[in-house]
Each structure stands twice: as structure tokens, then as C-alpha cells.
Amino acid sequence: MALTDITPGPAEDEISRLLRTSSLVPLTVTAWDSGALIHASEAAAALIGVPADALRGQSMLEFYVDTEQRRALLRALEAGAGEAFAEIQLRRADGRQIWVKVAAQRITYGGVPCVLAISQDITEQKEQARALTEALEQLRRQASNLNLDERQAAQAASRAKSAFLAHMSHELRSPLNAILGFSEVIRGLHFGREQVEKYAEYSGYIHQAGSHLLALIDDILDIAKVEAGKLDLQPSSFELSELLDECARMMRPMIDGRGLALGVNGRAAGLSLTADRRRTKQMIINLLSNAIKFTHAGGRVELAAQRMADGAIAITVADTGIGMSDDQIAVALEPFGRVESASINDPTGTGLGLPIVKNLIEAHGGRLQIRSQLKRGTLVRLVFPA
Ligand SMILES: Nc1ncnc2c1ncn2[C@@H]1O[C@H](COP(=O)(O)OP(=O)(O)OP(=O)(O)O)[C@@H](O)[C@H]1O
Ligand SMILES: [Mg+2]
């Protein structure tokens, strides 16, 4: 959508095509000096919160929280051979402030020096980074107030945190590398202009890696929330057998796909549980997916619930799979802890499932019990207090 009547010269064909085809990408062309908007894609207009038509004639500078950031971007473009990246704070039309990461390029458009910019909303990342810095700062302040014993304990905790972070970045890096690598191939048209199917295949890999990344980040946030005491459970009373059936239905394709049998114990009928239903389901699904992943074809998985003598309610997931030794159970309960044989059965797992389940059941005031024997199978029990 052209916002002014500048007629593109022949050298601008490329840019015009990009503008026409990129409504999903937040992309703007602004005049170098005034910041006047010459082009804005639908996605760019949505980012600012203004209908694309209403942007006509407006200057991008009106949306800058600090116009010095625009001058700095121009300086960076001059210094960096016409290309630069920057993080910029914008004020949307509704007053909300957002952070965007901008990849900018100096271009001549309609004979006028302009800035072509592609933006990405990074407000959430910024907020998380700020919260992390604050937490670390608080931890540092607290640690400096502690006596020596406590200080050593804090150091151990901080070492554990560092190890966790190191492992986490490693886990995040592999899907990110896949995303960068495959998109690089697409961006560079490495297979030529005709191989559309090849590019579609590669964008499928990017999507897969992106989904994996998202699931991973959800898991990491779950762990972080519990450890920061920020998990708010929403307890309600619900019919347990319904939940078990729901979980069994959900895992049916995975059960069938691996050639296993699944039994759901009927003794749960009539039992009602007071707990956070969504989190209880998350725990059961995690345990079922483990039981399924680590049991060979022909094996059996049992899902059951019962009221114990003391009134506590236990949900049990048992399998006839590869099992674990006591040492291996200890490993499995650590974040990112995976037993060696796991990677053969499940190359994509990250070792966060069990620690999340343990955190969640403990947040309910309950406990996690694991009994297992190598090559015989595993029984995992969630015990909710009476
Ligand atoms: N039912 C089981 N039978 C045998 N080994 C198991 C079982 N459940 C868990 N394990 C072992 O414990 C490890 C940790 O389990 P956890 O659920 O935390 O991670 P994961 O399943 O490997 O990955 P994720 O759940 O994050 O996708 C597994 O890698 C596996 O080695
Ligand atoms: Mg798991």
C-alpha cells in the first residue's frame, strides 16, 4: 500500500515486490530525514496499533518514545555500510509502550534516501530479561547479607542455577540453530528460484524446531514458576474417572502408534479430587507419555486411581517398560536428567517432565513416589493429601 505518490524507479522493483508480498512481516519504508512513512505493511500498522490507511503522511518519529533512538539508528546505518540492527521503544496508538528489534537498511526509493526496516516485537523478552536481572540482583543482595554457612549454601544454589542456565541455553540452542540454518538456505535461495517444494520442506523443519522451542520454554517457565513460588494453583473439585478417561483418550494415538495396550482402572469411579485440574492433567499426561516412550511394543500401560486407607488419593501410572535402577531414578528427577538409554527411545526429550511433575505434586502438598526395576517396568504414583 503506497502512502505517498512516489513513483518507484526501475532499481526499486525488488523493494516494491517485497512490499507487495510481505503483508505478514512488519515492514516500513520511511524518509531518511523526516521519518515520514512512505510504506507500511499491514503487520507494521498492527504493531503500532493504527489502521494502515491512517498512517498516511504520519512520521514514524511520532511513535518513538525517545527520538534519539532514531538518530542513533541513522548513525549506525551510516557507520555500518548501510545496514544496522537496533532495539527501539515505541509508543503504540493506544499508549502502550513496546520494544521492537529492527533490522534496517539504507535504500534509495523514488530517488529519495530512505530507511527500509523490518521489526519484531520483543517486549516480552525484554520484560523477562528485566525480571531475571532483578531476581539475580535480589539474590546477590540477599547473599551478601548472609553469614558464612548460609553464604556457602547460597553459592551452591547459585552454582546449581548456573548449571541449569548453561544446560538450558544448550537445549535452546539446537532448535535455534536449526531455525537459523534452514532459514538461511531459504533466504539465500540456495536451491535456485524454482525449487518451491524444497523451500516448503525447509520451512516445515523451521516450524517443527519452533514448536519444539515453544514447548521447551513452557516447560522451563513451569519449573521457574514453582521454584520462584509463583505458581498459583486453582483448586476445584472434580470427578477423577472423567479426567482419567480424558487423558487416556488424548494418549490413544501414541499408545496405538507404539503398539501398546492401555488399561484404565475403574476403581476411580465416583472418586472426586480437589486439586488444580489442569495441572493434574499435565502431570498425568507427562507420566503417561514417559510410560509410553519407555515401553517396547507389546507392552502394557496402566492408569489408575484409588483412595488410600488414610484418605489420601493416589493416581498411578504403571508400565512394563525398560525400567530404572535407584541411581537412575535420582538422575531422572533432576532437571534435564535423562538416563542414558532414554535417547534411544526418545531422542527429542529434554528431561524436564519428571521434575515438573514432582514440583507440581509437591505444590499440591502431595508427593511423588517412583518404584522401578530394570527391564521389568516402572510405577509412578501421585499422592494427593487427604
Ligand atoms: N516410565 C519410565 N520408564 C523408564 N524410564 C523412565 C520412565 N520415566 C522416565 N524415565 C527416565 O527418566 C528420564 C527423565 O524423564 P523426564 O520425563 O523428566 O524427561 P524425558 O521424558 O526424557 O523428556 P521430557 O519429558 O522433557 O520430554 C527419562 O529420560 C528416562 O530416562
Ligand atoms: Mg517425559
Side-chain angles (χ1 to χ4, degrees):
M1 167 215 49
L3 297 173
T4 71
D5 289 322
I6 295 174
T7 327
E12 279 115 27
D13 280 1
E14 192 75 5
I15 297 163
S16 303
R17 205 182 53 245
L18 187 63
L19 288 168
R20 270 199 313 280
T21 55
S22 61
S23 67
L24 293 175
V25 179
L27 183 149
T28 55
V29 177
T30 49
W32 181 274
D33 292 325
S34 63
L37 276 154
I38 296 169
H39 266 295
S41 67
E42 297 289 337
L47 198 66
I48 307 173
V50 178
D53 288 343
L55 279 176
R56 189 183 299 268
Q58 293 215 46
S59 165
M60 195 55 208
L61 282 170
E62 290 166 37
F63 301 103
Y64 273 68
V65 170
D66 176 5
T67 48
E68 171 55 26
Q69 288 187 331
R70 160 108 180 162
R71 287 191 286 278
L73 176 64
L74 297 189
R75 282 198 298 276
L77 281 168
E78 274 165 345
E83 268 187 14
F85 294 89
E87 291 185 356
I88 286 170
Q89 199 173 18
L90 298 178
R91 187 178 294 108
R92 283 167 47 94
D94 60 10
R96 192 159 67 80
Q97 298 195 357
I98 57 171
W99 277 97
V100 293
K101 185 171 197 141
V102 171
Q105 221 176 333
R106 180 184 191 152
I107 56 167
T108 304
Y109 190 71
V112 181
C114 286
V115 179
L116 169 74
I118 296 181
S119 313
Q120 185 198 354
D121 189 346
I122 54 164
T123 315
E124 213 163 304
Q125 285 103 300
K126 277 271 183 199
E127 177 51 31
Q128 279 163 1
R130 195 195 55 73
L132 185 65
T133 316
E134 203 169 272
L136 288 175
E137 180 57 27
Q138 198 181 352
L139 195 69
R140 206 183 52 73
R141 272 200 307 273
Q142 281 170 353
S144 70
N145 291 333
L146 300 172
N147 68 32
L148 195 64
D149 267 5
E150 286 171 324
R151 196 167 291 176
Q152 278 164 351
Q155 275 168 2
S158 136
R159 271 197 302 276
K161 277 246 142 67
S162 307
F164 181 84
L165 286 177
H167 204 125
M168 184 177 93
S169 2
H170 173 81
E171 290 290 337
L172 296 178
R173 199 166 276 147
S174 7
L176 268 177
N177 277 333
I179 291 174
L180 290 178
F182 288 125
S183 59
E184 184 64 45
V185 171
I186 298 178
R187 186 174 67 171
L189 296 177
H190 283 212
F191 299 112
R193 293 184 174 272
E194 311 306 324
Q195 296 291 327
V196 179
E197 272 166 22
K198 201 78 194 151
Y199 296 125
E201 180 191 332
Y202 273 38
S203 56
Y205 297 147
I206 294 176
H207 189 265
Q208 236 171 38
S211 312
H212 176 67
L213 204 53
L214 189 61
L216 201 62
I217 289 169
D218 283 344
D219 279 357
I220 290 169
L221 282 179
D222 273 351
I223 288 205
K225 260 191 222 154
V226 175
E227 297 200 341
K230 286 269 167 63
L231 183 87
D232 38 336
L233 295 174
Q234 284 165 358
S236 66
S237 241
F238 54 89
E239 179 70 31
L240 203 42
S241 63
E242 262 174 33
L243 179 65
L244 299 196
D245 286 340
E246 212 172 294
C247 294
R249 262 200 308 280
M250 219 173 121
M251 303 311 278
R252 179 56 65 190
M254 209 174 149
I255 285 275
D256 293 342
R258 306 235 345 156
L260 300 171
L262 173 68
V264 183
N265 188 308
R267 257 192 300 174
L271 266 192
S272 104
L273 175 65
T274 304
D276 185 315
R277 194 178 192 279
R278 186 174 73 84
R279 293 301 191 176
T280 307
K281 182 168 173 181
Q282 182 184 1
M283 291 188 268
I284 298 174
I285 295 293
N286 254 314
L287 296 181
L288 280 176
S289 77
N290 281 351
I292 297 168
K293 286 191 299 192
F294 303 114
T295 302
H296 296 303
R300 192 171 169 78
V301 175
E302 289 290 341
L303 172 62
Q306 68 188 103
R307 187 182 297 281
M308 316 287 274
D310 62 357
I313 287 193
I315 301 176
T316 309
V317 175
D319 63 63
T320 57
I322 62 177
M324 289 177 276
S325 66
D326 288 350
D327 289 348
Q328 290 174 337
I329 293 176
V331 172
L333 284 170
E334 287 298 319
F336 301 112
R338 305 191 77 220
V339 178
E340 226 172 287
S341 54
S343 49
I344 305 165
N345 294 282
D346 168 32
T348 60
T350 41
L352 289 174
L354 273 184
I356 288 175
V357 172
K358 182 167 187 289
N359 280 344
L360 287 178
I361 185 70
E362 285 174 1
H364 276 89
R367 59 186 197 280
L368 177 73
Q369 296 176 337
I370 304 181
R371 284 214 311 267
S372 188
Q373 225 182 329
L374 279 173
K375 295 192 183 147
R376 298 295 290 275
T378 302
L379 182 149
V380 185
R381 178 167 282 169
L382 302 168
V383 185
F384 291 85

